[in-house]
Amino acid sequence: MPKFIRAYFTAALAMALAAFMAGTVLAQSKGTSKIICWKDKSGKVIGCGDKVPPEYEDAATKELDRSGMTRKTTETAEDQAKRAAQDKALATQKAEEKKLLDEQRRRDSALLNTYASEKEIDQRRDREVQVVEAQITQLRVSHTNATNRHKDALSRIAAAEKTKKPPSDALKGEAEDAAADMAKLEHNIASKNKDVEDIRARYAQTKQRYMDLQKGSAQAAAPSAPAKK
């Protein structure tokens, strides 16, 4: 017999057995207004009666009236716990979405109240960039000074070596200190250049958001919570 035919007859037999059990119990319980059937973990009805046996208290059940109609069903304790966890996760996600939306609305309101035009955004960006660029200029001056000190120390070391006199520890330390200052200043200059890039990028986003709000497309651009994994 093909597998699908065998599976069909097995399922039909299980349904007939469940109906027979429920009918038998109902017939024996005319004095009660309801009957309860309990299921195994696979969802198959394995017994019916006026109450669920203690060993099946955590099982899924269905409640029948005297006519055999299903009036209520319950999940297993495990399924109830899973559903409760899902409901809690969904509530948390919705709360996070609301929090993000409220925060975006607050920022949008502040943005519209801060600037009267796109030009004002550009002007503030330029002022911030100018402050950082002035710092970069000062750092480059300091780097030039450190470079000159390093070159001078190396020159004096070379001159000492020509006279076959070992350079002093102080002279060597001066060269090392100058080299360390150069490296530190180069790092600071690179960091400040990155700050300028970040400022320009940040104000580009601010300006785009401002333009979207002015065009009435704030809702389309509103952020959403991260997708649930």
Side-chain angles (χ1 to χ4, degrees), residues 120-182:
E120 287 189 4
I121 298 176
D122 292 338
Q123 290 172 340
R124 176 168 292 191
R125 175 203 62 202
D126 293 343
R127 287 195 296 270
E128 288 193 23
V129 168
Q130 286 172 3
V131 170
V132 180
E133 286 181 339
Q135 295 171 349
I136 293 173
T137 298
Q138 183 59 48
L139 287 170
R140 284 175 176 164
V141 171
S142 298
H143 183 268
T144 299
N145 293 335
T147 301
N148 290 337
R149 286 191 290 108
H150 186 249
K151 289 180 179 179
D152 179 65
L154 292 180
S155 178
R156 284 185 285 149
I157 289 173
E161 290 174 344
K162 285 182 180 181
T163 62
K164 297 182 180 181
K165 293 181 180 180
S168 65
D169 291 341
L171 184 56
K172 290 179 180 179
E174 186 178 336
E176 291 173 355
D177 290 344
D181 288 343
M182 289 169 57

Side-chain angles (χ1 to χ4, degrees), residues 2 29 44 66 69 81 91 100 114 120 126 134 165 173-174 185 204:
S29 308
K44 178 183 176 182
R66 293 185 63 182
M69 297 294 294
L100 289 173
T114 300
E120 287 189 4
D126 293 343
K165 293 181 180 180
E174 186 178 336
L185 289 164

Side-chain angles (χ1 to χ4, degrees), residues 17-223:
L17 179 60
F20 173 76
M21 292 173 63
T24 301
V25 174
L26 285 169
Q28 297 174 353
S29 308
K30 292 183 179 180
T32 62
S33 60
K34 65 181 180 180
I35 194 68
I36 301 176
C37 294
W38 50 93
K39 306 176 183 179
D40 60 16
K41 291 184 178 180
S42 67
K44 178 183 176 182
V45 175
I46 56 175
C48 297
D50 56 353
K51 63 180 180 178
V52 180
E55 61 268 28
Y56 292 105
E57 286 181 351
D58 292 334
T61 65
K62 67 175 180 178
E63 184 179 307
L64 310 175
D65 61 18
R66 293 185 63 182
S67 65
M69 297 294 294
T70 300
R71 296 304 181 188
K72 186 174 72 171
T73 61
T74 63
E75 297 177 316
T76 64
E78 182 180 356
D79 288 340
Q80 291 176 7
K82 288 181 180 179
R83 185 177 296 279
Q86 292 173 350
D87 291 344
K88 182 178 180 180
L90 181 59
T92 299
Q93 180 180 346
K94 288 183 177 180
E96 183 63 21
E97 290 174 352
K98 184 179 184 302
K99 180 180 177 181
L100 289 173
L101 184 58
D102 290 343
E103 177 62 18
Q104 186 62 54
R105 287 172 175 166
R106 185 192 66 76
R107 291 180 179 179
D108 290 343
S109 178
L111 178 59
L112 292 173
N113 291 330
T114 300
Y115 301 104
S117 66
E118 297 168 30
K119 183 178 179 180
E120 287 189 4
I121 298 176
D122 292 338
Q123 290 172 340
R124 176 168 292 191
R125 175 203 62 202
D126 293 343
R127 287 195 296 270
E128 288 193 23
V129 168
Q130 286 172 3
V131 170
V132 180
E133 286 181 339
Q135 295 171 349
I136 293 173
T137 298
Q138 183 59 48
L139 287 170
R140 284 175 176 164
V141 171
S142 298
H143 183 268
T144 299
N145 293 335
T147 301
N148 290 337
R149 286 191 290 108
H150 186 249
K151 289 180 179 179
D152 179 65
L154 292 180
S155 178
R156 284 185 285 149
I157 289 173
E161 290 174 344
K162 285 182 180 181
T163 62
K164 297 182 180 181
K165 293 181 180 180
S168 65
D169 291 341
L171 184 56
K172 290 179 180 179
E174 186 178 336
E176 291 173 355
D177 290 344
D181 288 343
M182 289 169 57
K184 181 178 180 180
L185 289 164
E186 288 166 4
H187 173 78
N188 290 342
I189 290 171
S191 178
K192 291 297 181 181
N193 281 326
K194 179 64 167 56
D195 289 344
V196 170
E197 293 176 4
D198 291 344
I199 290 171
R200 294 189 184 280
R202 174 161 51 84
Y203 274 94
Q205 293 178 348
T206 297
K207 186 175 180 179
Q208 183 60 56
R209 183 65 180 176
Y210 182 85
M211 293 167 61
D212 289 341
L213 291 170
Q214 292 288 14
K215 294 176 182 177
S217 59
Q219 289 298 327

